[in-house]
mmCIF file of all heavy atoms in Angstrom:
data_model
loop_
_atom_site.group_PDB
_atom_site.id
_atom_site.type_symbol
_atom_site.label_atom_id
_atom_site.label_comp_id
_atom_site.label_asym_id
_atom_site.label_seq_id
_atom_site.Cartn_x
_atom_site.Cartn_y
_atom_site.Cartn_z
ATOM 1 N N GLN A 121 -25.171 221.940 179.248
ATOM 2 C CA GLN A 121 -24.323 222.086 180.431
ATOM 3 C C GLN A 121 -24.713 221.010 181.458
ATOM 4 O O GLN A 121 -25.830 221.035 181.993
ATOM 5 C CB GLN A 121 -24.519 223.456 181.073
ATOM 6 C CG GLN A 121 -23.577 223.730 182.231
ATOM 7 C CD GLN A 121 -22.100 223.657 181.836
ATOM 8 O OE1 GLN A 121 -21.673 224.295 180.873
ATOM 9 N NE2 GLN A 121 -21.321 222.865 182.554
ATOM 10 N N PRO A 122 -23.816 220.045 181.708
ATOM 11 C CA PRO A 122 -24.114 219.009 182.709
ATOM 12 C C PRO A 122 -24.285 219.619 184.098
ATOM 13 O O PRO A 122 -23.855 220.753 184.364
ATOM 14 C CB PRO A 122 -22.907 218.089 182.632
ATOM 15 C CG PRO A 122 -22.230 218.410 181.356
ATOM 16 C CD PRO A 122 -22.501 219.854 181.104
ATOM 17 N N GLU A 123 -24.838 218.832 184.980
ATOM 18 C CA GLU A 123 -25.036 219.302 186.330
ATOM 19 C C GLU A 123 -23.693 219.480 187.052
ATOM 20 O O GLU A 123 -22.678 218.876 186.683
ATOM 21 C CB GLU A 123 -25.908 218.324 187.117
ATOM 22 C CG GLU A 123 -25.279 216.932 187.283
ATOM 23 C CD GLU A 123 -26.213 215.939 187.954
ATOM 24 O OE1 GLU A 123 -27.415 216.197 187.998
ATOM 25 O OE2 GLU A 123 -25.692 214.899 188.430
ATOM 26 N N GLU A 124 -23.701 220.309 188.057
ATOM 27 C CA GLU A 124 -22.472 220.574 188.818
ATOM 28 C C GLU A 124 -21.951 219.283 189.431
ATOM 29 O O GLU A 124 -22.705 218.484 189.991
ATOM 30 C CB GLU A 124 -22.782 221.599 189.932
ATOM 31 C CG GLU A 124 -21.544 222.060 190.665
ATOM 32 C CD GLU A 124 -21.850 223.153 191.675
ATOM 33 O OE1 GLU A 124 -23.013 223.666 191.653
ATOM 34 O OE2 GLU A 124 -20.989 223.471 192.494
ATOM 35 N N GLY A 125 -20.667 219.049 189.302
ATOM 36 C CA GLY A 125 -20.057 217.844 189.822
ATOM 37 C C GLY A 125 -19.921 216.725 188.802
ATOM 38 O O GLY A 125 -19.256 215.723 189.055
ATOM 39 N N SER A 126 -20.536 216.900 187.660
ATOM 40 C CA SER A 126 -20.412 215.893 186.580
ATOM 41 C C SER A 126 -18.976 215.845 186.093
ATOM 42 O O SER A 126 -18.298 216.879 186.012
ATOM 43 C CB SER A 126 -21.331 216.248 185.412
ATOM 44 O OG SER A 126 -20.961 215.529 184.256
ATOM 45 N N PRO A 127 -18.432 214.652 185.767
ATOM 46 C CA PRO A 127 -17.084 214.586 185.221
ATOM 47 C C PRO A 127 -16.958 215.299 183.877
ATOM 48 O O PRO A 127 -15.853 215.522 183.392
ATOM 49 C CB PRO A 127 -16.840 213.082 185.054
ATOM 50 C CG PRO A 127 -18.191 212.469 185.012
ATOM 51 C CD PRO A 127 -19.041 213.306 185.887
ATOM 52 N N PHE A 128 -18.114 215.662 183.277
ATOM 53 C CA PHE A 128 -18.111 216.336 181.969
ATOM 54 C C PHE A 128 -18.518 217.801 182.080
ATOM 55 O O PHE A 128 -18.774 218.460 181.067
ATOM 56 C CB PHE A 128 -19.043 215.598 181.006
ATOM 57 C CG PHE A 128 -18.771 214.139 180.906
ATOM 58 C CD1 PHE A 128 -19.618 213.205 181.497
ATOM 59 C CD2 PHE A 128 -17.642 213.679 180.255
ATOM 60 C CE1 PHE A 128 -19.362 211.849 181.420
ATOM 61 C CE2 PHE A 128 -17.360 212.313 180.193
ATOM 62 C CZ PHE A 128 -18.218 211.398 180.760
ATOM 63 N N GLU A 129 -18.553 218.306 183.311
ATOM 64 C CA GLU A 129 -19.059 219.668 183.548
ATOM 65 C C GLU A 129 -18.291 220.694 182.731
ATOM 66 O O GLU A 129 -18.872 221.622 182.144
ATOM 67 C CB GLU A 129 -18.965 219.995 185.027
ATOM 68 C CG GLU A 129 -19.479 221.359 185.409
ATOM 69 C CD GLU A 129 -19.379 221.629 186.902
ATOM 70 O OE1 GLU A 129 -18.880 220.748 187.648
ATOM 71 O OE2 GLU A 129 -19.767 222.749 187.300
ATOM 72 N N GLU A 130 -16.953 220.547 182.662
ATOM 73 C CA GLU A 130 -16.145 221.582 182.035
ATOM 74 C C GLU A 130 -16.089 221.500 180.513
ATOM 75 O O GLU A 130 -15.467 222.344 179.868
ATOM 76 C CB GLU A 130 -14.739 221.555 182.618
ATOM 77 C CG GLU A 130 -14.721 221.957 184.101
ATOM 78 C CD GLU A 130 -13.320 222.165 184.632
ATOM 79 O OE1 GLU A 130 -12.457 222.647 183.883
ATOM 80 O OE2 GLU A 130 -13.088 221.822 185.796
#
Side-chain angles (χ1 to χ4, degrees):
Q121 186 60 52
E123 63 185 17
E124 187 176 350
S126 165
F128 307 107
E129 182 180 359
E130 294 190 35

